[in-house]
Amino acid sequence: MSFVPPGTGWPGDPATADTPVALDPADVRRLAASSSTLAELTARQSVCRACPRLVEWREEVATAKRRAFADETYWGRPVPGWGDERPRIVLVGLAPAAHGGNRTGRIFTGDRSGDWLFASLYRSGLAAQETSTHAGDGQELIGTRVLASVRCAPPANKPTPSEKSTCFPWMARELALVAPTVRVVVALGGYAWQAMWPALKDAGYELPRSRPPFGHGFEAQARYADAPVTLLGCYHPSQQNTFTGRVTAQMLDDVFTRARSLAV
């Protein structure tokens, strides 16, 4: 089989064999809107089949595999948000990596970007371990939750506009469910910065009238109910950015240390 069947024992699998499956955009909207808890929402996210191109790609990758992981079972399903269920800080990424989250079932876990991200979160007091290599490895996020704007690994890491639109309700509903405790939202990369604004609006946040441009360390102020929420920009810890020095460990630490100080 080219994906892990829900409810068969994968560590942290939120779904069961009875979890309803979204087969088209209308299903996504309906199932996201009717999810009353994070547990229900993440279970439904993790079995979604609404984007045929993404379903085909994620399962093809899970079958062909990368040589370094040839003996491993790949998750091969959408990767749900994970971390603290009452977070003070939310990190938003673009999409799972084909041989990272699509393999491990946990966003940023098991890829080079995640190596940088989790090491920085650990140094900043937001993660229990310096590394995150596989589901069930003991990693926990402290007051922090990570989610992606698109839940399936896309070919060339480029989801289409229709795929982004189809996946949008999952993100918006997750942001709404955690909103009462959130004080900081960090966008990991320019696309995440663009994607999170309409999702935050849909989730009930009060946003600035004009969307400011993305920049590393840039801050914008929003509100939810009567509470202030800071939106932070952070360059994505991609291999291209880390190899070229556009992102350094200190730059990541500065953003997450700032996020932690604002989230108190």
Side-chain angles (χ1 to χ4, degrees):
M1 183 171 287
S2 55
F3 63 91
V4 174
T8 55
W10 189 274
D13 186 350
T16 71
D18 296 325
T19 300
V21 179
L23 298 177
D24 55 36
D27 282 349
V28 173
R29 292 191 295 271
R30 175 177 57 82
L31 291 173
S34 63
S35 297
S36 59
T37 65
L38 275 177
E40 188 173 43
L41 180 71
T42 55
R44 293 172 174 186
Q45 290 172 354
S46 76
V47 295
C48 182
R49 301 184 68 83
C51 297
R53 187 183 78 114
L54 296 187
V55 171
E56 180 180 7
W57 173 252
R58 77 192 190 209
E59 295 180 6
E60 177 184 332
V61 170
T63 300
K65 306 181 183 180
R66 179 171 284 172
R67 182 177 299 177
F69 310 121
D71 295 332
E72 296 187 21
T73 298
Y74 274 51
W75 170 253
R77 286 165 44 195
V79 182
W82 76 285
D84 199 314
E85 293 192 356
R86 293 178 56 83
R88 306 288 288 182
I89 301 168
V90 170
L91 311 183
V92 179
L94 169 59
H99 302 281
N102 189 56
R103 173 173 61 91
T104 65
R106 211 165 62 185
I107 189 70
F108 282 110
T109 292
D111 63 48
R112 297 281 181 86
S113 297
D115 292 343
W116 281 73
L117 176 65
F118 289 108
S120 183
L121 292 175
Y122 175 76
R123 291 190 297 268
S124 304
L126 300 177
Q129 298 179 175
E130 190 173 9
T131 61
S132 183
T133 57
H134 62 275
D137 63 2
Q139 178 64 285
E140 294 182 6
L141 299 180
I142 301 168
T144 303
R145 188 171 187 85
V146 183
L147 56 88
S149 58
V150 174
R151 305 304 166 111
C152 296
N157 203 35
K158 293 181 179 179
T160 66
S162 65
E163 289 162 352
K164 296 173 189 175
S165 176
T166 296
C167 212
F168 176 86
W170 295 132
M171 179 183 181
R173 183 59 180 156
E174 190 161 356
L175 288 170
L177 287 172
V178 300
T181 61
V182 171
R183 297 297 174 264
V184 182
V185 182
V186 181
L188 298 171
Y191 175 71
W193 180 260
Q194 295 297 319
M196 76 181 189
W197 285 78
L200 288 168
K201 182 178 180 181
D202 190 88
Y205 289 74
E206 298 175 40
L207 301 173
R209 288 188 177 182
S210 60
R211 186 183 306 173
F214 171 75
H216 185 82
F218 184 88
E219 298 183 18
Q221 299 306 311
R223 297 189 71 82
Y224 183 84
D226 294 325
V229 179
T230 302
L231 313 180
L232 272 172
C234 180
Y235 287 154
H236 194 287
S238 64
Q239 288 190 62
Q240 180 179 0
N241 283 345
T242 56
F243 285 176
T244 61
R246 189 183 190 207
V247 173
T248 65
Q250 187 61 56
M251 289 170 68
L252 293 177
D253 290 358
D254 288 346
V255 167
F256 296 130
T257 300
R258 174 62 173 163
R260 186 181 180 187
S261 70
L262 291 166
V264 174

